[in-house]
Amino acid sequence: MAPAVVVCGSGENPEFEGRITVYVIVCAIIAAFGGLMFGYDIGISGGVTSMDDFLEKFFPAVYRKKRHALHNNYCKYDNQSLQLFTSSLYLAALSASFIASKVCSEAGRKHTMQIASIFFFTGAILTSGGVNIEMLIFGRIFLGFGVGFANQAVPLFLSEMAPSRIRGALNISFQLFITIGILIANLINYFTSNIHPYGWRISLAIAGLPALMLCLGSILICETPTSLIERNKVEKGIKVLRKIRGVEDVDDEFDSILNACEMARKVKDPFRKLMKPVSRPPLVIAICLQVFQQFTGINAIMFYAPVLFQTVGFGNQAALLSSVITGLVNVFSTVVSVYLVDTVGRRFLLLEGCVQMFISQIIIGIILLKDLKPVGNDLSKGEAIIVVIMVCVFVMGFAWSWGPLGWLIPSETFPLETRSAGFAFAVSSNMLFTFVVAQAFLSMLCRMQARIFFFFAGWIIIMGVFTWFLLPETKGVPVDSMVDKVWKQHWFWSCFMADDDLRTDVKVV
């Protein structure tokens, strides 16, 4: 049975009794370390793969290419094994996401997060202690299982623990912690790059710290009331609900959770129901958002930012410092999304992000196409600084639009009975295309050269058209009214709706 996710709508839904307790905030911070694990790995990979000590030990062919003065500027790092070091994690996370969905339902969110932290900690040990490429890849696979389990459990945990009035902000805090993890990784890479010959081991080993904090911290926190009630631990569920809300009168919220769980139990095969035409609108949107999120080019830039900056003429230290700058931009821009998402709406942020990312990609592409030749020259200092600025503008646009909203929108558009299954598809789609981009980017950079930025800009145009015509606004729409007020009113998606095939009267809070 799929997990029942109790999500608060807005507008028409009543506010339940309860306070924003310190305990809930502490639980949310501990859980969000799952996002910190994910973000740290995104940021650490690019820095480590640009370190000479690491390359010389595991990828000597890449090291020789990098050191060869006359080698193609765009092809210094083109190596399938090097790309597999980064991308293998996401292939493992793809496989783990569907397993994690079932574990999350049967064992609970808390235990799923603990399993994620154990996987991730094991992976950190294997990669930091690696003596050959096989050991590195094996460690990355463990890290991938950790990411798959954490990305399934943490958003559900945050959603179910938070009081309704701050649920949106706490959901986006998962993405915020991802960006903080990226920033921390960039800072650590900046300092460890000067520690020879084992600085890269320190960078990879520190990945175990957020995993350890999540594992130990999750011992102290409670399971969500929804998960407890879902697994027939009703008395414990209502006791925990009183604790996290800080009041005794939780009867209305308890009844609503109980009702949601009962309705979810009636769906024996949520994945089968997800394949029906009435489930197509939220499923297509969830998958497309994940595909588009990756084809903005964001992870190519975040994975390989130091490599990219070295390609345009920065030295190793300057490249790592530039990555720190983009990491800071990423964090502060995600905070902007927390404040704006329920004010200006989802569509406005997505469309504005498209315009901003498109312009910055085009400018980067033009500069590189014009002045960075494959052999024999680097950009001038002024041009290289413009590239860094445009990368920051690009990251800024992504961080307050397609980054957090790519996760938020799928969580609020599925009906309750298919929400967990649909979210599993969203997670797996994200991991699949993250793998594709991570595995292909350096080869694409070598072959397409500066034109790779026009490639991503073309995808951004497609994203904008999709958003304008096919993505409805969900701001202020109660989750339990999504079918009637969004899908049945939409010019295109309404043709998939059948009144007798989709429950519309379940009260979701």
Side-chain angles (χ1 to χ4, degrees), residues 310-324:
Q310 284 192 36
T311 295
V312 299
F314 286 86
N316 187 53
Q317 282 296 97
L320 291 172
L321 181 59
S322 299
S323 298
V324 171

Side-chain angles (χ1 to χ4, degrees), residues 254-506:
F254 171 76
D255 290 341
S256 185
I257 294 173
L258 189 64
N259 179 55
C261 291
E262 289 298 326
M263 294 303 300
R265 287 191 185 101
K266 294 179 181 180
V267 179
K268 302 301 181 182
D269 190 349
F271 285 99
R272 183 175 181 180
K273 185 175 180 62
L274 200 60
M275 297 299 106
K276 293 185 177 181
V278 291
S279 298
R280 200 158 295 158
L283 180 62
V284 169
I285 285 175
I287 293 175
C288 285
L289 285 176
Q290 304 308 314
V291 175
F292 291 152
Q293 189 186 74
Q294 298 312 308
F295 279 95
T296 59
I298 183 63
N299 276 343
I301 287 177
M302 299 311 292
F303 287 151
Y304 302 112
V307 173
L308 176 63
F309 291 137
Q310 284 192 36
T311 295
V312 299
F314 286 86
N316 187 53
Q317 282 296 97
L320 291 172
L321 181 59
S322 299
S323 298
V324 171
I325 294 171
T326 59
L328 282 168
V329 171
N330 199 12
V331 171
F332 287 114
S333 299
T334 304
V335 174
V336 172
S337 182
V338 173
Y339 285 98
L340 292 182
V341 66
D342 291 316
T343 304
V344 303
R346 282 70 161 147
R347 276 170 50 87
F348 176 85
L349 286 177
L350 291 173
L351 290 170
E352 191 282 334
C354 283
V355 173
Q356 192 168 327
M357 290 187 294
F358 176 81
I359 292 173
S360 57
Q361 291 269 30
I362 291 296
I363 292 175
I364 293 171
I366 290 174
I367 291 175
L368 298 189
L369 187 64
K370 176 176 175 289
D371 292 322
L372 184 65
K373 305 306 178 184
V375 179
N377 79 301
D378 292 324
L379 296 182
S380 68
K381 183 177 179 179
E383 289 175 321
I385 291 174
I386 292 174
V387 169
V388 172
I389 292 172
M390 287 298 102
V391 167
C392 289
V393 171
F394 172 85
V395 170
M396 190 184 302
F398 176 87
W400 61 47
S401 61
W402 289 86
L405 299 184
W407 294 106
L408 175 61
I409 292 173
S411 74
E412 64 185 3
T413 51
F414 284 101
L416 180 63
E417 59 267 29
T418 58
R419 189 166 297 140
S420 179
F423 195 71
F425 267 98
V427 172
S428 61
S429 298
N430 186 281
M431 294 300 107
L432 173 61
F433 285 93
T434 302
F435 166 79
V436 170
V437 172
Q439 184 64 26
F441 174 71
L442 293 179
S443 296
M444 292 171 65
L445 181 63
C446 178
R447 289 158 181 77
M448 299 176 69
Q449 300 178 8
R451 285 178 283 275
I452 191 172
F453 294 96
F454 300 125
F455 169 80
F456 287 126
W459 274 98
I460 292 172
I461 292 175
I462 296 172
M463 291 158 49
V465 172
F466 178 89
T467 302
W468 183 267
F469 290 103
L470 295 178
L471 187 67
E473 179 58 70
T474 55
K475 176 179 74 73
V477 179
V479 173
D480 51 323
S481 303
M482 197 68 66
V483 172
D484 289 329
K485 293 190 173 184
V486 174
W487 305 125
K488 289 186 177 180
Q489 305 301 320
H490 193 267
W491 71 272
F492 179 75
W493 298 121
S494 59
C495 65
F496 294 95
M497 295 293 105
D499 291 339
D500 61 346
D501 202 17
L502 193 62
R503 175 179 56 81
T504 60
D505 59 350
V506 177

Side-chain angles (χ1 to χ4, degrees), residues 70-141:
L70 296 178
H71 199 276
N72 191 317
N73 280 318
Y74 294 97
C75 299
K76 294 177 182 177
Y77 297 89
D78 180 24
N79 182 280
Q80 287 298 309
S81 296
L82 180 62
Q83 292 174 109
L84 185 61
F85 168 75
T86 297
S87 62
S88 56
L89 181 149
Y90 303 96
L91 195 60
L94 166 65
S95 304
S97 59
F98 290 103
I99 302 172
S101 178
K102 187 173 181 62
V103 172
C104 205
S105 175
E106 296 186 357
R109 288 50 159 160
K110 172 180 174 177
H111 292 309
T112 305
M113 288 189 291
Q114 288 174 330
I115 294 171
S117 64
I118 293 170
F119 273 128
F120 206 89
F121 189 77
T122 304
I125 292 174
L126 289 172
T127 53
S128 62
V131 296
N132 52 48
I133 187 62
E134 291 77 16
M135 191 171 176
L136 283 181
I137 300 300
F138 196 56
R140 296 287 292 177
I141 291 172

